[in-house]
Amino acid sequence: MSRRGTAVAIALLLGAALVAAGCGLGPGSKVGSVDLTVTREFGAVKMTEASGEANESDTVMRFLEGEVDHLETRYGGGYVKSIDGIEETQRGGHPYDWFFYVNGVESPIGAAEVSLQGGERVWWDMHDWAATAHVPAVVGSWPAPFTTGWEGHAPAVVVECEGGGDACASVREALEGEGVKIASGSPKGAIRVLVGPWAKVRSDPTAALIEGGPAESGVYAEFAPVGGGATGGSSPGGRTAGGAASAGGWELVGLDENGAKARGFGAEAGLVAATRHFEGPPVWLVTGGTVGAVRAAAEALDADDLRDHYAVESEAGTVTPLPLRSGSSG
C-alpha cells in the first residue's frame, strides 16, 4: 500500500473509532447547571446573572465566555481583561481588576484551569484591590459552599457554638433549611461556622486573621474596644495598647475599600463574614460584640441578606454590605 493509501486508511480507522466510542468532536455531554453572577464594586453593581448547563469540557473561563456578550482575555486566555466593556484599570492610583469565586471561595488557580462539574455558583467581581489582592472567601454565594462543598471537597459542615446562646440554634436552623446536614466532631476539610461574641471567637486562629485587617483576612471589618469607635482609641486590629483584649467589650467597625475605618456600628451590630487560613477550608463567622449582636448576625443567614455581598453587618433588621464606600462614615 502506498504512503498516501496508508494515511487514508489510518484516518478512516480513527474516525470509526471515534464514532464507536461516542466521543465526537463537540463539547461533550452536559454535567449540570451552573449559576453565574457578574458584578462591580464588591457586588454593589450587578452586570449579569445567568444560569446555564455546563458541558463536561467547560472551565470557568469557557462558561463565562458563553454567558456574556463580550469577553477579552490576556496571557493566552488565562486572565480576564474585560467583561462587556468593563476593563481592568487604574482610578486615582488604585488598581481595579476582575476576581472570581467558585462556591464562595477564591480559586487558587486561573479560570481557564478550573473545570466545572455542575452545581457550582461562580461569581466574578471587578473591584479596587488597593487594600488587598486576596479575599479568600465571601458570603455572597449563600447557601454555597455549605450545599456544594469547596474545591472538590464534600460539603461537610460543623457549627461551633462559642457562647452564642440561641443564635447557635438559629444558625443550625438556617443551614438545615437549605438541606445542609451538620456533622458532629471535626471531619477533615469541614467548613466551620463559628458562632459567638467576638471576645470568645477571636481566640480561634482563623477568626483572629480579622485583627490583621483585609490584607490578612479579606474581611473589611474589625472590632474595636467599646468607646473607641471608628476614629481611634485602639491600635490596628482593635486591640488596646500592648495587644491586651478590651475589658469593656467590643464593637464592630466597618472598613471602606481602602481598608480605612469608615463607620462604627456599635456593640449591638453583628457580623457575618468568611475567611480562610492558607489552603484550609473556609471558616464562617457569625459574631458581634454581644450575644444580642450575634443573634442579629444569625438572622442574616439567608439569600436575600447575603447575596452578592463580601460580608455584612446586621442590626435591628437591617443589613449593610461590607466594605463600605469611601466617605460613608457615620
Side-chain angles (χ1 to χ4, degrees):
M1 182 181 293
S2 68
R3 181 178 298 176
R4 183 173 183 276
T6 301
V8 171
I10 291 174
L12 290 172
L13 288 172
L14 286 173
L18 285 171
V19 171
C23 295
L25 299 175
S29 61
K30 303 292 185 180
V31 296
S33 179
V34 172
D35 292 330
L36 172 70
T37 301
V38 182
T39 63
R40 296 164 48 199
E41 309 296 344
F42 294 96
V45 181
K46 184 169 290 186
M47 293 175 55
T48 298
E49 191 170 52
S51 182
E53 288 290 321
N55 298 312
E56 61 184 5
S57 61
D58 272 342
T59 62
V60 168
M61 185 71 82
R62 183 176 295 176
F63 187 82
L64 174 68
E65 185 177 19
E67 297 294 333
V68 298
D69 293 331
H70 184 66
L71 178 68
E72 288 187 65
T73 62
R74 298 176 62 187
Y75 305 120
Y79 176 83
V80 168
K81 177 182 179 181
S82 171
I83 299 177
D84 289 343
I86 305 300
E87 186 175 339
E88 60 183 11
T89 187
Q90 291 267 341
R91 301 180 201 164
H94 287 216
Y96 284 74
D97 279 297
W98 286 102
F99 297 83
F100 77 99
Y101 308 90
V102 179
N103 297 328
V105 178
E106 182 182 69
S107 174
I109 57 178
E113 300 177 75
V114 181
S115 298
L116 294 174
Q117 307 300 320
E120 290 91 350
R121 291 172 178 257
V122 179
W123 179 14
W124 286 87
D125 182 63
M126 157 77 84
H127 64 252
D128 177 353
W129 55 274
T132 180
H134 179 51
V135 178
V138 295
V139 303
S141 294
W142 169 276
F146 303 108
T147 54
T148 61
W150 59 282
E151 295 178 3
H153 294 265
V157 179
V158 174
V159 175
E160 299 181 10
C161 188
E162 303 291 342
D166 56 6
C168 298
S170 296
V171 169
R172 288 177 173 271
E173 182 179 347
L175 288 167
E176 290 170 346
E178 299 290 349
V180 177
K181 184 177 180 180
I182 299 172
S184 58
S186 302
K188 185 177 180 180
I191 304 165
R192 300 161 59 223
V193 186
L194 307 184
V195 187
W198 182 245
K200 292 189 175 182
V201 169
R202 68 191 290 266
S203 63
D204 181 89
T206 304
L209 293 174
I210 287 181
E211 297 185 335
E216 293 291 330
S217 66
V219 178
Y220 289 78
E222 64 178 38
F223 286 90
V226 169
T231 58
S234 67
S235 62
R239 292 175 177 265
T240 56
S246 168
W250 302 91
E251 58 186 359
L252 181 64
V253 177
L255 309 181
D256 64 21
E257 69 272 19
N258 301 314
K261 296 178 181 181
R263 178 180 173 187
F265 289 104
E268 294 304 313
L271 172 69
V272 182
T275 188
R276 186 181 181 191
H277 194 220
F278 297 120
E279 299 304 315
V283 174
W284 278 48
L285 310 176
V286 181
T287 187
T290 67
V291 172
V294 180
R295 186 181 305 114
E299 291 172 355
L301 291 180
D302 60 64
D304 289 340
D305 288 331
L306 299 180
R307 184 70 175 174
D308 301 338
H309 299 323
Y310 278 56
V312 301
E313 176 270 346
S314 178
E315 183 180 14
T318 64
V319 168
T320 302
L322 299 170
L324 299 169
R325 302 298 294 271
S326 297
S328 60
S329 60

